[in-house]
Amino acid sequence: MSERTGKISAINGNMIVAEFENYVLQNEVAYAVAGNEKLKSEVIRIRGRKADLQVYENTESLKVGDKVEFSGELLSVELGPGLLTQIYDGLQNPLPQIAKECGYFLKRGVYLNALSYEQEWEFTPEAKKGDKVKAGDFLGSVPEGIFKHYITVPFSFREEYEVSSVAPKGNYKIKDTIAEIKDKKGNTEKVSMVQLWPVKLPIRAYAEKIKPADPLITKVRIIDTLVPVALGGTYCIPGPFGAGKTVLQQITSRHAEVDIVIIAACGERAGEVVETLLEFPELKDPRTGKSLMERTIIICNTSSMPVAARESSVYTAVTIAEYYRQMGLNVLLLPDSTSRWAQAMREMSGRLEEIPGEEAFPAYLESRIASFYERAGIVRLNNGKIGSVTIGGTVSPAGGNFEEPVTQATLKVVGAFLGLSRARSDARKYPAIDPLDSWSKYESVVEREQVEYVRYILRKSSEVGQMMKVVGEEGTAMSDFIEYLKGEFVDDVYLQQNAFDEVDGATPAERQKYVFGILYEILKSDFTFGTKDEARHFFHEIRQEFKNWNSDPWGSGKFGERQKSLKEKVEKNVKDKG
């Protein structure tokens, strides 16, 4: 650690002001010394011989005149084998190990190694002596769960190197030297399995970044069909409290067709975080049949923790996501909720006495949110492999007001908007995504013509429903009433899913295309009914048939029988065009 020090001259909550004599770096890590405890901090502003620091711990007992030690290093995370299955706080402290050492109440000033330095990994060399390599190139690999964890040339290396030696196949600890590489001047660098990377700097050790095009299959029908998400894209899930944001994230993390899932609880209520921590080890991974935690990393930061730690948890999570992308894996990052992070920014901005923007959020709110979501994307690695990071953040606007600054700043940068509705949530509709308010810039798994027609039916049905509240059912024309029933039918049988049903809870893309095609044919049909009661009875009947069909295994005999029965019921009521 650097020997540069300073003294605290002012304390304001989680912000301290330190006076220094030598020099200080922007964003470097410092430690405020409180007795025997050293509290991790970060320099966020420098003014002459004074530095403003945000402290990632409780500042109780700190006082003016206390010593501050500057480290000379940026806030960084350890990257290497052993990250999967871990539960970290925002500073990458492994919480289970802290619990063993300090008990279940977090003790401030305790910082543990993020990775085990004692565990041995079975290393298999990939590179050989004489190979030309650069940052991000594979030197070897170790097995980590179901994945091959590649050991790379450190991302901080900026030139081309020649491999001098690579360790033979065998068991090694992460700090052991597994390769030596030489630069053009003949200087030799030793490479181990672990490296440090500053969390606020994107990892760019790849050949090129590619525009997202292929859909990310979440197996949630309303998402994949009406408001699709792209692999390597960005989306947000805003909604009022209790509308199902966290539940939707958990369902997505379980069924989405990705390799790694990273959940960043950046300031959510402790109850929700505890629920996630308890449930994930018990959830069965449909892909492997084992625990979902085996390909999950949780960054845990609750609303009861210091506000500054919310920012670190967001950046720690996205850096780890980029690390696994560098191995050619598809990563899904789910921050919950970015509103808490924005509130932390607002609090620190107020303490810095910066000029406030809308609703007292800092003027740089939009740029911070944009720079975070920009770290998503698909990349082509130096060896041609493709990896991706998809970011799906939740937003918790007060009162469900989508016009507030955090939601609006997020909407400007994401590619899909999955707006949750309080009315749909109260009506026990899952997922509570509003199909009329939500939108996506990405391609659906279903043909665009069919999607647009269903959107038209839903809009028309909503308009007729609003009109019926005024004029009543008797004042509505039969044609309008049928349009209304069609929209309600789509909502009930396709846009809603039973998350507890083994079949209906997750719908593969092939089934979605097929079933949506049948649904499209029904909606395009020209029905004839004598009375509104007949129309209502018919749609109620096929609704029940369709819901039962959703629970029939794809491709089974029961699936075919139910489709045939549904077709017969529809044909009986189609207007004869002859």
Side-chain angles (χ1 to χ4, degrees):
M1 182 181 289
S2 170
E3 295 182 357
R4 292 175 292 113
T5 61
K7 287 188 176 181
I8 297 176
S9 62
I11 302 172
N12 182 3
N14 280 90
M15 192 193 81
I16 61 175
V17 180
E19 294 181 348
F20 59 92
E21 292 296 329
N22 204 330
Y23 67 91
V24 167
L25 305 175
Q26 178 72 15
N27 295 121
E28 82 169 295
V29 171
Y31 293 88
V33 182
N36 295 325
E37 298 172 326
K38 292 186 177 183
L39 310 184
K40 203 167 193 175
S41 318
E42 182 187 8
V43 176
I44 55 177
R45 186 173 67 180
I46 302 171
R47 298 172 296 160
R49 289 292 171 185
K50 291 185 178 182
D52 298 321
L53 296 86
Q54 59 179 357
V55 186
Y56 293 118
E57 303 276 11
N58 187 337
T59 56
E60 186 179 340
S61 81
L62 274 182
K63 59 186 183 297
V64 172
D66 282 349
K67 184 179 177 183
V68 176
E69 298 176 352
F70 297 98
S71 70
E73 300 172 350
L74 300 181
L75 185 65
S76 303
V77 289
E78 284 187 339
L79 303 173
L83 289 168
L84 289 183
T85 75
Q86 290 286 0
I87 301 170
Y88 293 114
D89 69 1
L91 298 174
Q92 212 193 7
N93 288 306
L95 292 178
Q97 280 85 337
I98 286 184
K100 286 180 183 178
E101 189 168 308
C102 307
Y104 288 100
F105 292 95
L106 296 179
K107 186 178 178 182
R108 70 175 188 173
V110 176
Y111 308 109
L112 302 182
N113 294 324
L115 302 171
S116 170
Y117 285 10
E118 299 303 316
Q119 181 179 352
E120 291 190 340
W121 298 86
E122 186 183 351
F123 175 76
T124 302
E126 300 261 341
K128 57 185 182 298
K129 184 177 179 179
D131 284 355
K132 301 293 184 183
V133 293
K134 54 186 176 181
D137 285 351
F138 298 166
L139 296 173
S141 65
V142 299
E144 184 182 20
I146 62 173
F147 303 108
K148 187 182 278 191
H149 186 118
Y150 288 102
I151 310 302
T152 67
V153 176
F155 307 133
S156 57
F157 288 13
R158 286 290 171 255
E159 29 181 304
E160 188 176 68
Y161 293 79
E162 182 181 320
V163 178
S164 301
S165 65
V166 182
K169 184 173 182 177
N171 293 334
Y172 300 89
K173 297 177 181 178
I174 61 172
K175 294 292 279 186
D176 292 340
T177 299
I178 55 92
E180 290 188 356
I181 56 179
K182 186 169 56 178
D183 64 17
K184 293 176 181 177
K185 295 178 181 178
N187 300 318
T188 299
E189 299 280 357
K190 294 182 177 181
V191 179
S192 66
M193 295 188 200
V194 64
Q195 59 177 304
L196 290 176
W197 185 260
V199 295
K200 294 185 178 178
L201 297 179
I203 298 173
R204 293 197 172 100
Y206 47 77
E208 66 172 324
K209 201 166 187 178
I210 306 167
K211 183 178 180 180
D214 298 328
L216 168 62
I217 306 302
T218 65
K219 298 184 180 177
V220 179
R221 290 192 293 264
I222 187 171
I223 297 178
D224 294 344
T225 304
L226 289 189
V227 280
V229 175
L231 191 69
T234 55
Y235 65 99
C236 70
I237 309 174
F241 296 104
K245 297 185 295 295
T246 304
V247 172
L248 184 57
Q249 278 196 329
Q250 290 186 8
I251 290 291
T252 305
S253 64
R254 184 180 181 187
H255 296 294
E257 295 183 356
V258 294
D259 299 312
I260 308 286
V261 176
I262 300 176
I263 295 175
C266 43
E268 273 304 296
R269 291 168 293 185
E272 290 186 23
V273 177
V274 169
E275 186 179 319
T276 299
L277 297 179
L278 292 176
E279 283 190 2
F280 262 69
E282 303 299 323
L283 288 177
K284 183 179 178 182
D285 184 359
R287 177 173 173 176
T288 64
K290 301 177 182 178
S291 168
L292 186 61
M293 271 303 294
E294 292 195 12
R295 58 184 182 94
T296 301
I297 303 168
I298 297 177
I299 311 296
C300 180
N301 180 258
T302 68
S303 55
S304 58
M305 293 179 178
V307 292
R310 299 178 189 178
E311 183 177 28
S312 65
S313 64
V314 170
Y315 289 114
T316 294
V318 74
T319 304
I320 294 174
E322 290 176 328
Y323 176 61
Y324 278 99
R325 178 174 66 183
Q326 287 294 138
M327 300 176 202
L329 297 174
N330 296 316
V331 186
L332 176 61
L333 170 58
L334 301 171
D336 184 22
S337 117
T338 54
S339 292
R340 310 284 191 182
W341 167 39
Q343 288 164 9
M345 275 193 276
R346 176 169 61 184
E347 188 168 328
M348 294 309 297
S349 176
R351 288 173 180 167
L352 290 170
E353 298 181 354
E354 296 173 333
I355 297 174
E358 188 179 354
E359 292 189 21
F361 284 103
Y364 47 78
L365 173 69
E366 287 188 12
S367 63
R368 287 280 180 89
I369 290 176
S371 64
F372 169 68
Y373 279 99
E374 282 168 2
R375 292 177 71 167
I378 301 178
V379 300
R380 178 178 286 111
L381 306 182
N382 298 332
N383 60 6
K385 277 179 172 279
I386 302 293
S388 71
V389 170
T390 307
I391 300 180
T394 65
V395 186
S396 305
N401 175 25
F402 291 170
E403 299 303 315
E404 58 88 41
V406 182
T407 305
Q408 288 301 308
T410 306
L411 288 183
K412 291 177 181 178
V413 296
V414 295
F417 166 71
L418 282 57
L420 300 184
S421 159
R422 166 62 69 193
R424 291 179 68 82
S425 173
D426 291 345
R428 299 294 186 268
K429 293 184 176 182
Y430 172 80
I433 298 171
D434 191 319
L436 300 179
D437 286 346
S438 303
W439 50 261
S440 174
K441 299 175 183 177
Y442 304 123
E443 287 298 318
S444 169
V445 297
V446 176
E447 292 181 18
R448 181 175 295 184
E449 178 189 348
Q450 294 182 354
V451 173
E452 289 305 315
Y453 183 74
V454 169
R455 282 189 177 280
Y456 160 75
I457 289 292
L458 290 169
R459 282 194 298 270
K460 181 70 175 176
S461 175
S462 177
E463 291 169 3
V464 175
Q466 294 299 319
M467 181 181 69
M468 285 170 58
K469 290 179 181 178
V470 178
V471 302
E473 190 178 300
E474 63 279 2
T476 306
M478 177 62 84
S479 59
D480 286 341
F481 188 66
I482 291 174
E483 295 286 292
Y484 166 74
L485 291 176
K486 283 182 177 180
E488 292 290 295
F489 171 67
V490 173
D491 199 347
D492 286 343
V493 305
Y494 196 84
L495 303 188
Q496 295 175 49
Q497 287 178 250
N498 181 357
F500 295 102
D501 187 280
E502 191 174 336
V503 176
D504 193 32
T507 308
E510 295 78 13
R511 178 169 182 151
Q512 289 187 48
K513 292 176 190 175
Y514 186 82
V515 171
F516 198 81
I518 303 295
L519 183 69
Y520 177 71
E521 290 177 10
I522 294 174
L523 297 179
K524 291 286 283 186
S525 299
D526 195 2
F527 295 106
T528 176
F529 301 105
T531 65
K532 291 187 175 71
D533 283 338
E534 280 183 27
R536 189 184 297 105
H537 176 75
F538 165 73
F539 278 101
H540 175 74
E541 190 177 14
I542 65 168
R543 179 169 63 243
Q544 289 304 118
E545 192 75 20
F546 213 108
K547 280 189 171 183
N548 292 334
W549 193 36
N550 285 337
S551 297
D552 293 332
W554 171 239
S556 66
K558 214 171 187 180
F559 183 89
E561 290 170 11
R562 193 91 65 182
Q563 181 184 344
K564 184 179 178 183
S565 171
L566 187 64
K567 185 178 179 182
E568 289 172 354
K569 285 182 172 65
V570 171
E571 287 178 346
K572 284 181 183 177
N573 289 275
V574 174
K575 186 182 293 185
D576 185 4
K577 295 181 181 179

